[in-house]
């Protein structure tokens, strides 16, 4: 099995636990709402977890301040993969891969283009993500994955670096 499948329980995982009645729940109306599972909620309209065939949707957040209100964003990964879920079929998701990032290392000053197509300098920061696999239908933690480190030692090609706010650091994503 792939790293995602193994971390999400693989074929040796126990039967999934039932939902914790103390956890808040929600019914997702689109794929972007599934990140609420990472915020200790469960998704009432998620697919049942099958350890032999997990359907994983990755979400990430970068915690830049202690105690800040975090909102997990969808990561466009896994489409076309056996374990992935297409955004328009989000109710097939059984596992949410929650990646919580913290800035790491020194930021580089890089050059990019802003929304007005002007050249601007911005701070490019590396990130280390803690990875947790959560059963979408219950909110139960299935497994902790290996940390993921992104590299910000070199700047992205300025032609492809669109900067929305030069005063806010841009974080490296792998």
């Amino acid at each position: 099995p792939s790293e995602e499948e193994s971390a999400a329980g693989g074929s040796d995982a126990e039967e999934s636990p039932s939902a914790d009645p103390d956890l808040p729940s929600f019914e997702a109306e689109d794929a972007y709402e599934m990140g609420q599972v990472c915020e200790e909620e469960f998704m009432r309209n998620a697919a049942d977890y099958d350890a032999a065939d997990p359907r994983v949707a990755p979400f990430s957040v970068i915690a830049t301040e202690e105690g800040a209100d975090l909102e997990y964003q969808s990561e466009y990964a896994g489409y076309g993969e056996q374990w992935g879920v297409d955004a328009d079929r989000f109710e097939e998701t059984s596992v949410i891969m929650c990646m919580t990032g913290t800035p790491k290392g020194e930021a580089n000053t890089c050059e990019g283009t802003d929304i007005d197509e002007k050249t601007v300098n911005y701070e490019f920061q590396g990130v280390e993500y803690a990875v947790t696999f959560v059963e979408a239908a219950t909110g139960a933690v299935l497994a902790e994955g290996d940390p993921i480190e992104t590299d910000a030692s070199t700047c992205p090609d300025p032609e492809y670096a669109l900067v929305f706010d030069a005063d806010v650091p841009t974080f490296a994503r792998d």
Side-chain angles (χ1 to χ4, degrees), residues 121-160:
N121 289 327
Y122 66 96
E123 295 299 309
F124 189 55
Q125 178 75 54
V127 177
E128 181 175 283
Y129 290 96
V131 179
T132 304
F133 293 90
V134 180
E135 183 178 0
T138 66
V141 173
L142 297 170
E144 299 292 332
D146 292 334
I148 299 171
E149 274 192 46
T150 62
D151 181 22
S153 60
T154 58
C155 292
D157 185 330
E159 184 177 345
Y160 302 105

Side-chain angles (χ1 to χ4, degrees), residues 1-7 9-11 51-52 82:
S2 72
E3 181 178 310
E4 286 83 4
E5 292 169 324
S6 296
S11 58
Q82 176 195 356

Side-chain angles (χ1 to χ4, degrees), residues 71-128:
E71 184 176 329
Y72 284 79
Q73 302 294 316
S74 178
E75 290 294 329
Y76 300 99
Y79 300 126
E81 298 288 337
Q82 176 195 356
W83 54 267
V85 179
D86 291 334
D88 62 345
R89 296 182 9 215
F90 68 93
E91 290 171 314
E92 296 177 7
T93 301
S94 60
V95 177
I96 305 293
M97 178 182 175
C98 303
M99 298 177 289
T100 305
T102 53
K104 185 162 184 77
E106 294 294 318
N108 279 328
T109 299
C110 299
E111 187 176 280
T113 305
D114 70 9
I115 200 134
D116 297 322
E117 297 184 11
K118 294 179 183 164
T119 300
V120 294
N121 289 327
Y122 66 96
E123 295 299 309
F124 189 55
Q125 178 75 54
V127 177
E128 181 175 283

